[in-house]
Amino acid sequence: MKACKKNGQYLMIQMPEEIDHHQTVQIRQAADESILEDEVRDVIFDFGQTRMMDSSGIEIIMGRYRMISAFGGQVYIMNADTRIKKILFSAGIQKIAEFIN
Amino acid sequence: MKACKKNGQYLMIQMPEEIDHHQTVQIRQAADESILEDEVRDVIFDFGQTRMMDSSGIEIIMGRYRMISAFGGQVYIMNADTRIKKILFSAGIQKIAEFIN
Amino acid sequence: MAAAFLSELNPKLEEIADVKTAVSEAVINAVIHGYGMEEWDGPTQARRKSAWIHMESGLSDNVFEVSIEDKGCGIPDIKTAMQPLYTSRPELERSGMGFSFMEEFMDEVKVESTFGEGTMVQMKKKIGIVEQMEEE
Amino acid sequence: MAAAFLSELNPKLEEIADVKTAVSEAVINAVIHGYGMEEWDGPTQARRKSAWIHMESGLSDNVFEVSIEDKGCGIPDIKTAMQPLYTSRPELERSGMGFSFMEEFMDEVKVESTFGEGTMVQMKKKIGIVEQMEEE
Ligand SMILES: Nc1ncnc2c1ncn2[C@@H]1O[C@H](COP(=O)(O)OP(=O)(O)O)[C@@H](O)[C@H]1O
Ligand SMILES: Nc1ncnc2c1ncn2[C@@H]1O[C@H](COP(=O)(O)OP(=O)(O)O)[C@@H](O)[C@H]1O
């Protein structure tokens, strides 16, 4: 998938402008393949382009966290704007993911 | 607007993933300001991220063409995928705009 | 809304974009032409007016159906309205391609309208036909 | 659909995103919980089943209203269902935050449901309040 870039042990996932269930189904498939096959350790979600997100955005982060945390992996969240941050915080994502910039 | 970049006489407009009426209202405002204030000559629409487009995508191109062609300006279309190209062609956009790559 | 249904059927991405485009055309037509909302001058006037759209969408037998209905001004002459490039609002930068796109992207488009009373657009599209044939 | 209405009122971009999010939650709930479509195994089964969603949205007096109705399985206990983090489908990677997001982003959320018959979610939100006050 175009939206995933692997850099060494990191999987970088470029989140779309609008995150809903339909979008996350695709991202999830691609991400899980990458995590399993390439033995990725950490996952970075880049929300730089994202303007709208429903709870499927929470689900995709929590799901990837469950997969990789068992093996010592860490989830990072990048470039989330104030609105997206507020949504992520209201679901307690700061407890499982680290916000970078 | 973040989506507009000026390079000399060009105005480069980054089209969103999904182009509908709501999106084009915003793009139009920003583009027209730029065309009028900065005396831009040519306009480039970059469809590289676009996956879905309704007829408002046609309208925004035709409208900008009308504004700038009177002063010798030209409209270019960049990075449109097969699907978007098909839509643009079905509306005859190739008669007023030049497709680059 | 359309995408929510369709994504469960593993359709081609193109099919989802087709349906979204067609629905987008019909809804914006209801808002702009049916209710003339482009002229409402923001919240002040909205306080005095109201506009309703009724949308029903469903899936049965692999066919996605959607209808979009408004109680707006209606279309005096449907045949003319559906012609490519025809628009009653060129001043609004309308392309006149709305109905053409609906017809291009859907398998079936039916328009019913009573001038002064409202408009209903019904559309159908078969989804995931390729897989269906392979499975048989 | 919601965006089409709202954009004519020059709302804040946030307000549009809020409404889109809330509608998205309600629609996907109808599809996944109401009709259990996540289990339909693609087109083959879709040929035998059907699913319908009814959506009505409108604007009057600056208040955007939307209702989303399905004829799916219904909710046995609405109070439990609406609790943050509650989901009946953890195996599907559902977060249980759907209703919480609807309540967070809209001014009013009402849920009616009859077990075995279907569910209706009605939501309201005032739009463009800032401008309204300035104009008065
Ligand atoms: N829901 C509607 N209510 C009233 N008139 C409509 C409606 N939908 C379409 N029309 C009429 O049909 C014409 C053609 O529509 P369309 O092909 O979508 O082009 P456009 O929207 O660009 O004008 C419109 O200009 C308008 O006069
Ligand atoms: N339209 C519906 N039909 C049937 N059950 C529903 C519907 N909407 C919600 N529910 C029930 O309410 C629960 C909570 O919903 P929600 O807060 O959106 O969380 P989630 O969708 O993540 O499970 C769901 O798990 C489901 O059991």
Side-chain angles (χ1 to χ4, degrees):
Chain A
M1 192 177 70
K2 234 182 65 188
C4 294
K5 248 181 270 163
K6 275 155 275 167
N7 291 327
Q9 297 185 302
Y10 290 84
L11 174 68
M12 169 84 97
I13 301 179
Q14 178 71 58
M15 300 300 267
E17 277 176 28
E18 307 208 333
I19 303 176
D20 58 17
H21 176 77
H22 164 56
Q23 298 270 12
T24 52
V25 168
Q26 293 170 48
I27 297 171
R28 183 156 56 210
Q29 272 177 6
D32 288 357
E33 250 176 62
S34 202
I35 292 172
L36 294 174
E37 287 172 20
D38 307 328
E39 300 178 8
V40 162
R41 214 187 60 141
D42 299 330
V43 176
I44 307 174
F45 291 94
D46 182 349
F47 284 87
Q49 293 179 10
T50 304
R51 302 289 156 260
M52 175 262 174
M53 175 169 88
D54 71 8
S55 66
S56 60
I58 306 295
E59 289 152 24
I60 197 164
I61 299 173
M62 298 210 295
R64 268 11 77 206
Y65 169 75
R66 266 181 242 118
M67 283 181 80
I68 62 169
S69 62
F71 303 97
Q74 166 79 19
V75 173
Y76 297 92
I77 289 167
M78 233 173 87
N79 298 327
D81 68 19
T82 336
R83 181 188 163 77
I84 300 296
K85 266 192 193 138
K86 209 183 99 194
I87 299 180
L88 293 170
F89 270 77
S90 80
I93 288 296
Q94 71 280 11
K95 291 176 208 151
I96 60 166
E98 195 174 311
F99 284 74
I100 44 185
N101 69 14
Chain B
M1 193 176 69
K2 232 182 68 186
C4 294
K5 249 180 271 165
K6 276 155 271 166
N7 292 326
Q9 296 185 305
Y10 289 84
L11 173 68
M12 169 86 97
I13 301 179
Q14 178 71 58
M15 299 301 268
E17 277 176 28
E18 308 208 332
I19 304 175
D20 58 17
H21 176 77
H22 163 55
Q23 298 270 12
T24 52
V25 167
Q26 293 172 46
I27 298 172
R28 184 155 55 211
Q29 272 176 6
D32 288 357
E33 249 175 64
S34 203
I35 291 172
L36 294 174
E37 287 172 18
D38 308 327
E39 298 179 9
V40 162
R41 213 187 61 141
D42 299 330
V43 176
I44 307 174
F45 290 95
D46 183 348
F47 284 88
Q49 294 180 10
T50 305
R51 301 290 157 258
M52 177 264 174
M53 174 171 88
D54 73 8
S55 66
S56 60
I58 307 295
E59 290 152 24
I60 196 164
I61 300 173
M62 298 211 293
R64 270 10 78 206
Y65 170 76
R66 267 181 243 119
M67 283 181 80
I68 61 170
S69 62
F71 303 97
Q74 165 79 19
V75 173
Y76 296 92
I77 289 167
M78 233 173 86
N79 298 328
D81 69 18
T82 335
R83 182 189 162 75
I84 300 295
K85 267 193 192 137
K86 210 184 98 193
I87 299 180
L88 294 171
F89 270 78
S90 81
I93 289 295
Q94 70 281 11
K95 291 175 207 151
I96 60 166
E98 195 172 311
F99 284 75
I100 45 185
N101 67 16
Chain C
M1 169 146 160
F5 271 116
L6 300 180
S7 56
E8 302 306 325
L9 292 187
N10 294 316
K12 286 172 279 175
L13 287 181
E14 285 232 336
E15 292 175 333
I16 295 187
D18 286 352
V19 170
K20 273 190 171 182
T21 302
V23 169
S24 170
E25 299 289 357
V27 170
I28 203 70
N29 274 355
V31 167
I32 289 189
H33 301 299
Y35 295 112
M37 279 181 63
E38 196 101 27
E39 271 106 71
W40 297 20
D41 68 344
T44 330
Q45 221 189 340
R47 243 175 301 153
R48 275 171 274 129
K49 291 200 181 193
S50 75
W52 284 89
I53 294 179
H54 214 91
M55 178 156 147
E56 220 176 294
S57 68
L59 194 69
S60 61
D61 284 347
N62 275 358
V63 177
F64 175 78
E65 291 183 44
V66 58
S67 74
I68 292 107
E69 194 181 347
D70 67 66
K71 298 281 169 223
C73 66
I75 304 178
D77 177 357
I78 296 181
K79 222 172 143 189
T80 305
M82 291 186 74
Q83 272 164 13
L85 300 176
Y86 172 80
T87 178
S88 57
R89 312 294 304 274
E91 79 283 8
L92 290 182
E93 268 199 17
R94 301 298 296 167
S95 65
M97 295 296 290
F99 282 124
S100 311
F101 277 23
M102 294 181 227
E103 291 185 316
E104 187 168 333
F105 294 128
M106 302 296 278
D107 296 333
E108 200 183 308
V109 179
K110 257 198 270 179
V111 182
E112 279 171 40
S113 188
T114 310
F115 191 51
E117 291 188 11
T119 302
M120 170 147 82
V121 176
Q122 287 178 295
M123 301 186 282
K124 292 187 189 181
K125 187 182 182 76
K126 268 218 172 116
I127 300 296
I129 313 174
V130 180
E131 287 125 299
Q132 179 184 345
M133 293 194 312
E134 280 166 5
E135 278 162 14
E136 279 172 345
Chain D
M1 169 145 159
F5 271 116
L6 300 181
S7 55
E8 302 306 325
L9 292 187
N10 294 316
K12 286 173 278 174
L13 287 181
E14 285 234 336
E15 292 175 332
I16 295 187
D18 286 352
V19 170
K20 273 190 170 182
T21 301
V23 170
S24 171
E25 300 290 357
V27 170
I28 204 69
N29 274 356
V31 167
I32 289 190
H33 302 299
Y35 294 112
M37 279 180 65
E38 197 102 24
E39 272 106 70
W40 297 20
D41 69 342
T44 329
Q45 221 190 339
R47 242 174 300 151
R48 275 170 274 128
K49 291 200 180 191
S50 74
W52 286 89
I53 295 179
H54 214 92
M55 178 157 149
E56 222 178 289
S57 68
L59 194 69
S60 62
D61 283 347
N62 274 0
V63 177
F64 176 77
E65 291 183 44
V66 59
S67 74
I68 292 108
E69 193 181 349
D70 66 67
K71 298 281 167 225
C73 66
I75 305 179
D77 177 358
I78 296 181
K79 220 171 144 188
T80 306
M82 292 186 75
Q83 270 162 15
L85 299 177
Y86 172 80
T87 178
S88 56
R89 312 295 303 276
E91 79 283 9
L92 289 182
E93 269 198 18
R94 302 297 297 167
S95 64
M97 295 294 291
F99 281 125
S100 311
F101 277 24
M102 294 182 229
E103 291 186 315
E104 186 168 333
F105 294 130
M106 303 294 281
D107 296 333
E108 197 183 310
V109 178
K110 256 197 270 177
V111 182
E112 280 172 38
S113 187
T114 310
F115 192 50
E117 291 187 11
T119 301
M120 171 147 84
V121 177
Q122 287 178 295
M123 301 185 281
K124 293 187 189 183
K125 189 183 179 75
K126 268 218 172 120
I127 300 296
I129 314 173
V130 179
E131 286 125 301
Q132 181 185 341
M133 293 195 311
E134 282 167 2
E135 278 162 14
E136 276 170 349

